[in-house]
């Protein structure tokens, strides 16, 4: 039997009422604690490099894109292919293994570290989103989390991998799905949030 006192109900009612009346005030938003690294000058140069050579669909040369990513601190293996209209937030937070494909329109929003293994495929429009916001906070606080894609992972077209996700070796995230925190090896996931549907044979 559970006994709830009048005091407990009063406290619960007060908290519930306070939470109901809470409103977001973006004028109080403060992410001064967040340090994206490399300094303002380097970040500005990368912004224009990303816009001209990566986001721009008229520039198809993958080899030069890989070279530019390395110049800005990314660790890139051999045989990596970067298609047009790809956007990378901060290349110094990016590691990509050998023979991995980054498809058209992929957005790697790596506010913190993103590790992509060898022989992975990120299909068209896939989003890797390290940043999020605390919707429970009046100040809508920034939250960041790393992303790990192990070897052989396939992220389907228009799918989303949020921060703090680990997609284990050869797991698959189907088209327009949202990855859970952990995707088990050699499993195919589908849905929002994605759930395992069958083994990858």
């Amino acid at each position: 039997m559970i006994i709830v006192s009048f005091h407990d109900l009063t406290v619960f009612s007060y908290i519930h009422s306070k939470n109901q009346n809470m409103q977001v005030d973006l004028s109080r938003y403060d992410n001064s604690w967040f340090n994206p690294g490399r300094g303002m000058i380097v970040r500005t140069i990368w912004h224009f490099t990303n816009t001209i050579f990566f986001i721009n669909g008229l520039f198809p040369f993958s080899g030069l894109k890989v070279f530019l990513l390395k110049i800005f601190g990314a660790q890139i293996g051999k045989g990596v292919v970067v298609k047009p209209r790809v956007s990378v937030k901060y290349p110094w937070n990016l590691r990509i293994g050998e023979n991995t494909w980054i498809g058209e329109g992929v957005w790697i929003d790596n506010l913190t570290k993103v590790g992509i293994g060898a022989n992975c495929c990120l299909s068209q429009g896939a989003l890797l989103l390290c940043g999020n916001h605390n919707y429970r906070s009046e100040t809508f606080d920034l939250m960041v989390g790393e992303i790990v894609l192990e070897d052989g992972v396939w992220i389907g077209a228009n799918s989303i991998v949020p921060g703090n996700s680990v997609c284990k070796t050869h797991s698959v995230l189907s088209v327009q799905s949202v990855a859970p925190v952990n995707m088990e090896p050699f499993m195919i996931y589908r849905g929002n949030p994605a759930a395992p549907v069958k083994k990858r044979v």
Side-chain angles (χ1 to χ4, degrees):
M1 183 174 66
I2 300 175
I3 300 175
V4 180
S5 69
F6 177 76
H7 176 265
D8 292 335
L9 289 173
T10 303
V11 171
F12 173 78
S13 177
Y14 170 76
I15 293 173
H16 182 68
S17 173
K18 185 177 180 182
N19 287 341
Q20 278 190 325
N21 295 328
M22 184 194 77
Q23 295 183 358
V24 171
D25 182 0
L26 293 181
S27 69
R28 295 170 54 204
Y29 178 74
D30 179 16
N31 68 341
S32 59
W33 60 269
F34 176 68
N35 179 13
R38 298 302 171 104
M40 181 62 71
I41 294 175
V42 174
R43 294 200 301 270
T44 301
I45 295 171
W46 170 251
H47 170 78
F48 287 105
T49 302
N50 190 39
T51 301
I52 295 168
F53 296 104
F54 288 79
I55 298 174
N56 182 0
L58 300 176
F59 195 84
F61 307 108
S62 178
L64 182 55
K65 293 175 190 176
V66 169
F67 173 76
L68 290 170
L69 286 170
K70 289 180 177 179
I71 289 292
F72 282 88
Q75 301 175 43
I76 311 289
K78 295 179 181 179
V80 169
V81 175
V82 182
K83 293 287 189 175
R85 296 185 296 104
V86 168
S87 181
V88 178
K89 188 73 170 183
Y90 299 127
W92 46 90
N93 286 336
L94 181 61
R95 177 182 55 79
I96 304 176
E98 296 182 352
N99 305 313
T100 283
W101 302 344
I102 310 296
E104 290 90 345
V106 167
W107 181 18
I108 303 176
D109 189 30
N110 54 337
L111 297 176
T112 187
K113 292 181 180 180
V114 167
I116 302 172
N119 300 295
C120 292
C121 176
L122 277 64
S123 293
Q124 299 91 329
L127 305 178
L128 273 57
L129 305 179
C130 291
N132 202 347
H133 293 276
N134 184 358
Y135 68 88
R136 296 184 179 91
S137 168
E138 295 177 356
T139 52
F140 207 52
D141 301 327
L142 176 66
M143 303 185 298
V144 296
E146 297 181 7
I147 292 174
V148 175
L149 309 183
E150 295 183 355
D151 293 348
V153 167
W154 181 10
I155 304 300
N158 295 318
S159 290
I160 299 173
V161 181
N164 298 311
S165 295
V166 177
C167 303
K168 295 179 181 177
T169 183
H170 290 81
S171 57
V172 176
L173 184 63
S174 298
V175 171
Q176 294 186 331
S177 295
V178 179
V181 173
N182 285 296
M183 289 171 48
E184 293 301 316
F186 291 90
M187 287 297 298
I188 299 173
Y189 287 75
R190 182 175 61 214
N192 179 11
V197 292
K198 62 180 178 180
K199 292 283 288 184
R200 180 181 184 179
V201 179

